[in-house]
């Protein structure tokens, strides 16, 4: 795994462990998938508010924070499933560059 992603995954794992302990949460498939879905909804809401298409006003900082939450939960899910996200992205998306360069 890319060193930077590995560091971010370790940070997310640490915070997740603190959260689970503090709130007595069982981190199972429902939790991981539910949290990613929840955070994607919050990214969507923050973006719509920022672009003037949602209720209320938004800020760039709020959008950034929600993207951070979503990334954290994607990294946690990948870690839980034993997926190297850097390798998976390179394999899946990188093939398009390989096809273009061929």
């Amino acid at each position: 795994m890319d060193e930077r992603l590995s560091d971010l995954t370790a940070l997310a794992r640490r915070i997740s462990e603190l959260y689970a302990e503090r709130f007595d949460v069982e981190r199972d498939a429902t939790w991981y998938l539910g949290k990613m879905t929840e955070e994607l909804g919050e990214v969507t809401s923050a973006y719509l508010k920022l672009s003037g298409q949602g209720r209320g006003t938004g800020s760039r900082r709020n959008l950034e924070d929600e993207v951070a939450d979503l990334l954290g939960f994607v990294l946690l899910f990948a870690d839980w499933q034993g997926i190297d996200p850097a390798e998976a992205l390179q394999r899946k998306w990188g093939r398009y560059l390989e096809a273009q360069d061929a």
Side-chain angles (χ1 to χ4, degrees):
M1 180 185 297
D2 174 84
E3 185 176 326
R4 182 76 174 132
L5 273 181
S6 179
D7 291 344
L8 293 173
T9 298
L11 171 67
R13 189 181 315 114
R14 231 174 117 203
I15 300 306
S16 175
E17 289 167 358
L18 289 171
Y19 179 90
E21 184 179 309
R22 180 177 297 153
F23 297 105
D24 194 30
V25 171
E26 180 182 344
R27 293 169 294 164
D28 58 8
T30 301
W31 185 81
Y32 285 104
L33 294 169
K35 291 304 284 183
M36 284 192 302
T37 301
E38 174 187 349
E39 294 305 334
L40 179 57
E42 291 178 8
V43 167
T44 302
S45 177
Y47 174 77
L48 290 174
K49 286 178 184 177
L50 183 61
S51 66
Q53 299 175 42
R55 278 193 234 156
T57 58
S59 69
R60 179 70 182 189
R61 177 63 180 261
N62 188 49
L63 177 61
E64 292 170 358
D65 287 349
E66 296 306 338
V67 167
D69 287 347
L70 178 59
L71 177 60
F73 281 107
V74 168
L75 291 173
L76 285 171
F77 180 82
D79 185 57
W80 178 62
Q81 288 297 301
I83 297 169
D84 178 336
E87 188 280 325
L89 184 66
Q90 182 61 46
R91 184 189 68 246
K92 173 78 177 178
W93 288 35
R95 69 181 177 190
Y96 297 106
L97 293 178
E98 293 167 6
Q100 181 183 9
D101 294 341

